[in-house]
Amino acid sequence: MEIRMEPGRGPVFPEPLKGPKDLQKLKPTVDVSQELGYVFRAITLTRHKIGGQVPLIGFTGAPWTLMTYMIEGGGSNTMSKAKRWLYQDASASHQLLQQLTDVIVDYLVGQVAAGAQVLQVFESHAGCLGPQQFADFSLPYLREISRRVKQKLKAEGLEQVPMIIFAKDAHYALDDLSQSGYEVVGLDWTIRPQEAREKTRKRVTLQGNLDPCALYANKDAIEAMVKQMLEAFGCRGYIANLGHGLYPDMDPEHVGAFISAVHKYSEKKEN
């Protein structure tokens, strides 16, 4: 499918999938090295450029999230066109989700071969699904990705790397996500750290979860919020992060203030 990155809109598919018959237009198999080799080359170049100063994180969208873009044609508040598929043609939905899963596995393994040291899977649109739909159309494929990536890394003699799953707004599934084969579960900003700890029962490392909009605050306020976040999570089994991505109009100095505060208070807690 053709995809364009449009300013102010993000990824856009000019000709989205209209119905299950459109699946015939998709390639049944994809040579990831040929189609996405430029990504692998960029990873290798970046790994050399950063010179070991920080780990390099590879990533992918998860099957359900990618499916929503392919059907909606871009971002959507309701994902109603994509969800219609789930209710009207579950078989076609599973077919598309499996095709995406197969490509994602090869894509992630290729990223590790190119130099990625951690992998993160983004189920950004999990919040549009209810618990049962998530259990049927998202979770099985997330589990399959972690299992097959680990198997393929071993088969190809590549180093095992930590894997992170971030399913935005899927608080109802934290227990399941903590048992889905990932070492880290990412959290958005709408859940209390203690609640997340209770649901995941120390099975995984947690990552998150400051509200990205907190970076619009002044630097002193950012530092205070970071201190509060670290005290709530503790420094064991935890990666400090925002609860979602940065927005284009955010001041890089405020991002720096966030990072500096994390270092400052995590060092204090460890000493």
Side-chain angles (χ1 to χ4, degrees):
M1 295 178 69
E2 180 187 357
I3 183 171
R4 300 172 184 166
M5 295 299 291
E6 295 189 359
R9 284 194 66 190
V12 173
F13 288 89
E15 297 182 22
L17 301 175
K18 300 293 186 185
K21 289 183 179 179
D22 286 345
L23 294 179
Q24 298 172 15
K25 300 177 183 178
L26 302 179
K27 294 181 180 179
T29 58
V30 176
D31 184 337
V32 174
S33 296
Q34 181 178 341
E35 299 288 346
L36 295 166
Y38 64 91
V39 177
F40 303 149
R41 291 190 293 274
I43 287 172
T44 301
L45 178 63
T46 304
R47 177 77 185 272
H48 285 298
K49 289 285 187 182
I50 60 179
Q53 296 177 78
V54 291
L56 182 59
I57 306 176
F59 75 96
T60 180
W64 161 246
T65 295
L66 296 178
M67 176 178 168
T68 63
Y69 279 108
M70 295 167 77
I71 294 171
E72 300 286 346
S76 164
N77 291 326
T78 63
M79 307 297 166
S80 59
K81 294 177 183 177
K83 290 182 71 175
R84 178 191 294 233
W85 279 50
L86 306 185
Y87 285 109
Q88 290 189 346
D89 204 324
S91 177
S93 298
H94 283 298
Q95 180 184 336
L96 178 54
L97 290 165
Q98 188 63 58
Q99 282 183 262
L100 288 164
T101 298
D102 293 343
V103 175
I104 287 167
V105 169
D106 290 343
Y107 183 43
L108 289 175
V109 171
Q111 290 187 49
V112 175
Q117 296 161 289
V118 186
L119 296 173
Q120 181 155 338
V121 178
F122 286 84
E123 190 69 286
S124 304
H125 297 164
C128 294
L129 299 174
Q132 189 59 53
Q133 281 191 317
F134 184 83
D136 291 342
F137 296 102
S138 175
L139 187 61
Y141 299 101
L142 297 177
R143 285 175 168 157
E144 183 177 341
I145 288 167
S146 64
R147 175 177 55 81
R148 288 176 57 191
V149 166
K150 293 175 191 297
Q151 289 175 344
K152 194 164 185 178
L153 289 174
K154 183 177 181 180
E156 296 189 7
L158 294 167
E159 184 178 355
Q160 296 290 331
V161 300
M163 295 184 68
I164 306 167
I165 177 62
F166 175 70
K168 188 173 182 296
D169 297 320
H171 305 161
Y172 51 78
L174 281 177
D175 184 28
D176 288 327
L177 289 168
S178 70
Q179 302 178 78
S180 59
Y182 296 82
E183 287 72 33
V184 182
V185 172
L187 305 170
D188 62 62
W189 66 94
T190 61
I191 188 166
R192 293 182 178 90
Q194 185 59 37
E195 184 182 350
R197 286 285 187 207
E198 290 170 358
K199 289 185 175 182
T200 57
R201 305 179 194 178
K202 297 184 178 180
R203 284 186 288 250
V204 291
T205 292
L206 296 178
Q207 174 176 284
N209 69 336
L210 190 69
D211 182 355
C213 288
L215 298 190
Y216 291 127
N218 62 57
K219 293 180 181 180
D220 288 341
I222 292 171
E223 182 171 324
M225 287 184 281
V226 168
K227 181 175 184 288
Q228 182 181 27
M229 179 178 73
L230 292 181
E231 288 173 347
F233 277 105
C235 284
R236 299 296 175 191
Y238 174 57
I239 300 170
N241 200 354
L242 300 176
H244 205 212
L246 295 168
Y247 305 133
D249 62 348
M250 286 180 167
D251 187 340
E253 289 192 6
H254 286 221
V255 180
F258 167 78
I259 294 169
S260 296
V262 169
H263 287 300
K264 176 180 176 180
Y265 289 107
S266 60
E267 287 169 1
K268 281 185 178 181
K269 290 182 74 66
E270 288 175 354
N271 292 332

